[in-house]
Amino acid sequence: MPARSTFPSPIPADEVRRLFVEFYRGKPAPGAGGHAVVPSSPVVPHDDPTLLFANAGMNQFKPIFLGQAAPGSALAGLKRAVNSQKCIRAGGKHNDLEDVGRDTYHHTFFEMLGTWSFGDYYKKESIAWGMELLTGVYGIPAERLYATYFRGEPEAGLEPDLEARDLWLGHLPASNVLPGGFKDNFWEMGETGPCGPCSEIHFDRVGARNAARLVNAGDPNVLEVWNHVFIGFNREEGGGLRALPARHIDTGMGLERLVSVLQGKPSNYDTDLFTPLFMAIERITGARPYMGRLGAQDKDNIDTAYRVIADHARALTFALTDGAVPSNEGRGYVLRRILRRAVRYGRQTLGAKPGFFAQLVPVVVERMGGFFPELKQNPQRVMDVVREEEESFGRTLERGLRLFEEAVGGGGGGQVPGEVAFKLHDTYGFPVDLTQLMAEERGMRVDLGGYERLMAEAKEKARAGSAGRFAAGVGPGGGGPLVLGPEAIAQLQRLGVARTDDVDKYHGREVRATVRAIYNGENFDEHVRAGNQTRAVGIVLDRTNFYASSGGQPGDMGLLEAADGRRVAIAGTIHPEGDKTRVVHVP
């Protein structure tokens, strides 16, 4: 493939991605078994309990690395692969959420251009082809590239990777080949899993200088663009390393950073991956145009808000498309934090009107749906989920902000009491990290110790309050277990409450549902269904994942969580007598 004639070049991001895939499709040589193009796995790893989200391209290939690929499966016999993987790093070992908006190169969602060799070629080919692509195809000047190698870790019994060092010296001057420690040059996917030494490739945006001392020093003008991982170990439970039966290659290059390099832009957010979103944010909110300011220069936080909102819109659109849902647990809680962080910036900093965030979903679909067609399958569902979450948080946002303002006053130092942080979380649905962010903007910090103590007390009270309530009797007047007969069935029919969809009762998955009626100890009626009654002893939903008491098997216990974060502990689940089609959840 001919070298590019100029650098930098206004090459579109879609073309950058295409060139990468096509280059490796032809390696080692056209017609001689090039890299197979493997579609990205979902960003939600439904079959891998060790991960909140797919955080690297190699996640879907773990069975190959571990020698566990099932015979006859799509992975069996795969020797080389290339793709662009959807990734989210917003929880667990790799968490970039707190850095998004503060700088110009961190993201919760990003694309990882990746290549793999499964027991086939190794370091020599990986390094040589990497340099050929960067300098020969993309036209990047070699003198602006720096490569690192693992210098070893004697205490862990790991030798320095002199083989990688010598291979890099065949492509770069010695001043541009640098040793690195365990943190930067030994890659691990998570607490357990395949791992090994790696070589990072860094690019100097400035050029015409020796930037070796700035590599891995946090300088935004000297950034890592590609990591070549030489996988030879598996990190076991307990921390030990076990040698794998075969050696593998796993490389990952962030598309966003590469595009900024090739387009000659000072940051990822100045590329055509983000400009359509910025234009939409400006149009929807009426805010001034994005100016790329950082830190003290961004006094009004408007440019920070642009970056946060654009990044988070991409992350949520992909995560919800791939099957995740916001909740108060696990990955669902991470998504809720992301959404509320974006909504707070939009409403408070940009003056956006309610519902603004959901309007960005079609922009993400339009920009990314060409390469990821799954985004086009049901974008309306994604918009509906985002709108519902946004509206729910919006109802309490203003009151929560007022409480925060009353507590901190003018700010400028000091501490936000743990009681305030707890009330913001418990009453208004503010994740504590959002409270920390607001406090930091005022030059303050949060009393996390006090917050965590109150959270622990609240959880203990909730457990004690729900224990045994169903067994003790919650029927009308508190006498005996709740029994609903023909009169209750007639009331439900009068209200138009149809059968409960309980297909999920055998799977235990979290489901989203709508309250159809509430029994107040005497009857079901319109006032109760409208939420005007505070004494609830039976809740009917349109769908449920609870198994109702039947055939001697007790009903499920669990938790109902409202959109505003309020929770109801369910101590038992029943059918009305003579009616197996409706399910009543009993607190």
Side-chain angles (χ1 to χ4, degrees):
M1 190 173 294
R4 302 196 62 81
S5 58
T6 60
F7 177 85
S9 170
I11 177 173
D14 289 343
E15 179 67 2
V16 174
R17 186 195 297 113
R18 188 194 68 81
L19 285 172
F20 181 88
V21 172
E22 290 303 316
F23 176 81
Y24 279 97
R25 190 202 295 266
K27 292 296 183 182
H35 288 61
V37 181
V38 179
S40 170
S41 64
V43 77
V44 180
H46 297 287
D47 57 350
D48 189 342
T50 68
L51 293 171
L52 281 177
F53 300 99
N55 60 21
M58 61 84 68
N59 293 163
Q60 66 175 308
F61 301 117
K62 279 175 64 176
I64 300 180
F65 293 132
L66 297 174
Q68 298 172 354
S73 69
L75 297 180
L78 192 62
K79 292 296 185 182
R80 311 173 196 92
V82 59
N83 81 352
S84 187
Q85 171 68 44
K86 303 173 291 186
C87 297
I88 288 181
R89 291 187 178 176
K93 183 179 178 64
H94 300 284
N95 184 2
D96 291 337
L97 177 59
E98 305 306 324
D99 294 318
V100 173
R102 301 169 187 261
D103 58 33
T104 59
Y105 50 88
H106 277 101
H107 306 285
T108 54
F109 172 86
F110 64 97
E111 282 186 66
M112 183 71 84
L113 301 172
T115 63
W116 294 270
S117 165
F118 307 111
D120 189 38
Y121 66 84
Y122 203 45
K123 297 177 185 179
K124 179 179 179 181
E125 293 84 354
S126 183
I127 290 172
W129 291 339
M131 286 298 295
E132 181 184 352
L133 175 71
L134 293 177
T135 61
V137 176
Y138 291 139
I140 299 176
E143 62 270 17
R144 294 173 69 173
L145 297 174
Y146 295 79
T148 63
Y149 65 93
F150 183 50
R151 68 183 174 212
E153 191 75 22
E155 293 183 1
L158 296 170
E159 298 294 325
D161 191 355
L162 302 182
E163 179 185 5
R165 180 201 63 181
D166 293 343
L167 288 169
W168 283 117
L169 289 173
H171 300 276
L172 296 171
S175 60
N176 290 33
V177 179
L178 311 169
F182 205 92
K183 177 179 177 292
D184 295 314
N185 286 99
F186 196 93
W187 195 92
E188 300 187 70
M189 181 185 65
E191 297 301 327
T192 61
C195 56
C198 63
S199 281
E200 299 174 340
I201 305 175
H202 297 252
F203 173 77
D204 177 20
R205 292 189 189 275
V206 178
R209 61 175 181 171
N210 186 299
R213 63 183 178 84
L214 301 177
V215 170
N216 280 326
D219 190 308
N221 288 317
V222 180
L223 67 161
E224 177 196 343
V225 292
W226 205 353
N227 194 6
H228 289 231
V229 181
F230 313 123
I231 293 180
F233 302 97
N234 186 62
R235 178 71 70 182
E236 306 283 295
E237 293 284 351
L241 289 174
R242 175 177 59 85
L244 293 172
R247 301 185 305 177
H248 313 285
I249 291 292
D250 165 26
T251 82
M253 177 157 55
L255 176 68
E256 291 77 8
R257 293 190 185 186
L258 176 62
V259 171
S260 75
V261 167
L262 297 180
Q263 293 182 357
K265 301 296 184 180
S267 86
N268 299 358
Y269 290 95
D270 292 314
T271 70
D272 62 337
L273 287 167
F274 287 93
T275 49
L277 275 164
F278 286 169
M279 293 172 63
I281 293 169
E282 180 184 347
R283 172 178 53 81
I284 293 168
T285 67
R288 65 149 171 87
Y290 177 72
M291 300 176 67
R293 292 172 174 170
L294 290 167
Q297 293 184 341
D298 187 28
K299 294 180 180 179
D300 51 13
N301 280 326
I302 287 180
D303 290 328
T304 299
Y306 266 101
R307 290 187 288 269
V308 168
I309 294 167
D311 170 272
H312 291 5
R314 298 197 332 154
L316 283 161
T317 300
F318 275 92
L320 296 178
T321 295
D322 284 350
V325 292
S327 70
N328 272 8
E329 302 290 339
R331 69 169 62 98
Y333 180 61
V334 173
L335 295 180
R336 183 162 282 169
R337 288 171 58 201
I338 291 173
L339 185 143
R340 293 182 174 183
R341 192 170 187 253
V343 170
R344 200 277 298 192
Y345 267 112
R347 296 280 292 276
Q348 187 179 28
T349 306
L350 301 187
K353 296 180 180 179
F356 85 96
F357 197 49
Q359 297 178 57
L360 297 177
V361 172
V363 184
V364 178
V365 173
E366 174 64 25
R367 181 64 191 83
M368 311 290 285
F371 192 76
F372 300 105
E374 61 271 22
L375 292 176
K376 298 181 177 181
Q377 291 177 359
N378 193 0
Q380 187 59 51
R381 186 194 70 82
V382 176
M383 290 183 67
D384 290 344
V385 173
V386 172
R387 184 178 294 109
E388 180 181 340
E389 285 284 322
E390 184 179 356
E391 289 176 354
S392 170
F393 184 50
R395 286 192 293 269
T396 63
L397 177 61
E398 295 303 322
R399 284 177 289 170
L401 291 176
R402 283 198 298 271
L403 171 64
F404 181 83
E405 294 296 334
E406 291 169 3
V408 305
Q415 182 171 259
V416 177
E419 293 83 356
V420 172
F422 174 74
K423 187 173 182 180
L424 284 169
H425 172 84
D426 189 57
T427 305
Y428 301 110
F430 278 59
V432 69
D433 58 307
L434 181 54
T435 303
Q436 288 179 281
L437 181 62
M438 294 189 296
E440 187 176 303
E441 292 171 355
R442 298 296 191 88
M444 304 178 71
R445 61 188 181 86
V446 175
D447 174 17
L448 287 178
Y451 163 81
E452 291 169 355
R453 174 179 52 80
L454 291 169
M455 281 293 294
E457 291 176 1
K459 290 178 180 178
E460 181 58 34
K461 287 179 182 178
R463 283 193 294 268
S466 62
R469 286 189 63 189
F470 187 69
V474 291
L482 179 61
V483 177
L484 297 174
E487 184 178 348
I489 298 171
Q491 292 169 1
L492 290 171
Q493 290 172 339
R494 176 173 58 82
L495 293 173
V497 178
R499 62 158 290 141
T500 305
D501 178 359
D502 62 351
V503 69
D504 291 303
K505 66 185 178 184
Y506 300 111
H507 303 292
R509 332 182 247 257
E510 181 180 273
V511 300
R512 301 177 70 87
T514 301
V515 176
R516 299 301 311 279
I518 299 177
Y519 186 73
N520 69 353
E522 297 178 0
N523 54 49
F524 292 103
D525 60 32
E526 293 285 354
H527 294 289
V528 175
R529 187 165 59 146
N532 295 328
Q533 295 284 340
T534 58
R535 181 177 178 229
V537 296
I539 303 169
V540 181
L541 309 173
D542 63 342
R543 63 181 301 204
T544 186
N545 56 3
F546 285 71
Y547 180 91
S549 177
S550 180
Q553 180 173 337
D556 284 341
M557 302 172 66
L559 191 70
L560 301 184
E561 180 183 315
D564 62 6
R566 291 179 296 173
R567 295 180 171 189
V568 177
I570 299 302
T573 321
I574 65 172
H575 291 298
E577 284 193 343
D579 178 8
K580 297 295 186 182
T581 68
R582 298 178 180 90
V583 176
V584 182
H585 305 75
V586 184

